[in-house]
Amino acid sequence: MTAKAVEVPSILTVRELAELIDASPIEVIKELMSNGIMASINQQIDYDTAALIIAEMGYEPAPVRLAEPEEDEDARVTAAWRRVYEKEAAKDLVSRPAIVAVLGHVDHGKTSLLDVIRHTNVQAGEYGGITQHIGAYQVQHNGQKITFLDTPGHEAFTAMRARGAQGADVAILVVAADDGIMPQTREAIAHAQAAKVPIIVAVNKIDLPSANLERVKQQLAEIGLVPDEWDGDTLVVPVSAKLQAGLEDLLEAIILVTDGMDITANPKAPASGTVLEGELDPRRGVLATLLVQNGTLKVGDVIVAGLACGKIRAMFDERGKRVKQAEPSTPVQVMGLDEVPVAGELFEKAENDRTARAIVQERLVAAEEAAAQPGPAFTLEDAFERFMAGETKELNLIIKSDVQGTLEPITKSLNDLKVSDLKVNILHAETGSITDSDVMLASASDAIILGFQVPVDPAAQRRADSEGVDIRTYNIIYKLIEDVEQALQGMLAPVYEDVRIGMAEVRQVFHIRRVGQVAGSYVRDGEIRRGAKARVVRNRQPLQGDSKISSLKRFEEDVREVRAGFECGIGLDNFNDFQEGDIIECYVTQRVT
Ligand code: GDP
């Protein structure tokens, strides 16, 4: 049998190489290592190196042909273009306004604070007092702009991170001076720390007689946020939203903290960012607030936001004033999308309408595929694979336990675990049930939730199922520790098995020039899916090793799947020996839980 030909681009990452030959990245990394090349999963390698590895793994490498355009031409061009852009971009980076999120315990005054900051600023501004809540706003302080996310609380902030956007550059942690640090304050800190954004503490309600600023500072110091006047790194600013006091100091603190940070973007890049809000306005149609995070968004741009797309017909700033363009860190309300986009979703500029629709189509397909493969996206079993693949050296964990008396020994034992240079990183440890907020944090940070003698809230379970978060609960402490240790050592290897999803009978064999054999078949049960594994069975004997369904057509049209009772044309990778009466069995690989 001749080796299977694989087209290899002139430069590609280890991961892309593994995908080309249907191998795991680890196999490829091992093969590279045995050739004296140390490369991590996202590292780029050149054609010669890739060709060497491919040949050793039993395939025949060939440079990518620049042949007739294929269906994923757009995607390939975009990817190539991105690589060029990333190199170009560095020199075009300029500073942009910092993006600030306001977090804290319920009723500590987040909304009031956001309102007064906006209000005082707008009164001083040029367009009178009319403002609308569109999800974010900008203020000026000493000639510098600051962008505030106008949705208080860590939910919005973490939802952005879960979809791959950096939610904010700085977090303002609001703590009421009379109430002090409360459970959601600690939760908010965990969210900010997991996102690696600096925290500025606004101690609010200092107008109240029961306010106790010193006590709050003491509590902050106890949980590691040592106030700067006590020689720590945390700026603590006393404020009162009610009396509009301390606001200038707070803005000053933001400037101070962000001055030392590298807050930049490339205004020349194609626009991208995050959807902050979306609604259907009875008069104006779909309205969406977008936070531009890179590039410059212009009226007339075609954008894709999750599953929505369209050409921007008009754009408004937070004061309802028409604008033609929006630079990085600017929130704008836009008209022209075909559907209401989901808040938190990323948006990006597309080349044109056709590309935009193609991207949405791809996403629909990907979503379908993801839905068809149940189970968490990242489990404890996957941890070792990630370590090996060089993606991470840390295992992010969220620990919930019944009482303080069990929480401490668990976190201590886990912190002490270290297997070679792999270690655990505890993002949040708290007593109480596993909540929706825990799952959001896990989803945004690729963390695993470990519960010890605690229930999982129903809402948390639903989110975990939909976002693929691994929740594990235990009744025995050593079992919990042991599982984590084994994950670090790679002993909790995941188990996969092939599951048959359908079969078809070959009724007629066609020879098609340049394509090879196509089996005109009738699907007898289940379904036949393009891209799935296939086995050909003749007289009850399997004929060859595994192959892949490389083409699937109904009449002239490419289709993704064909169900029982229908006829179709099936082409297999690497197999050109069909006979009438053969059975084609279709398989998918599933993780066994
Ligand atoms: P959030 O849940 O954190 O957004 O809190 P809100 O902004 O809704 O405020 C909760 C309550 O605290 C409201 O009744 C506010 O009027 C009150 N409040 C907010 N800021 C202050 C303040 O600086 N001083 C006083 N006395 N009350 C405040």
Side-chain angles (χ1 to χ4, degrees), residues 177 203 211-221 227 229-230:
V203 182
N212 189 341
L213 182 59
E214 289 311 303
R215 188 176 71 110
V216 177
K217 284 187 192 161
Q218 185 63 49
Q219 290 179 329
L220 288 167
E229 57 188 301
W230 296 1

Side-chain angles (χ1 to χ4, degrees), residues 105-113 152 204-208 239-243:
H105 193 72
V106 64
D107 277 349
H108 279 197
K110 300 179 293 291
T111 313
S112 311
L113 204 55
N204 189 32
K205 308 197 189 183
I206 48 156
D207 55 285
L208 290 175
V239 299
S240 164
K242 186 177 175 190
L243 305 180

Side-chain angles (χ1 to χ4, degrees), residues 171-185:
I172 303 286
L173 181 72
V174 180
V175 185
D178 58 333
D179 219 11
I181 305 254
M182 298 298 279
Q184 284 176 323
T185 318

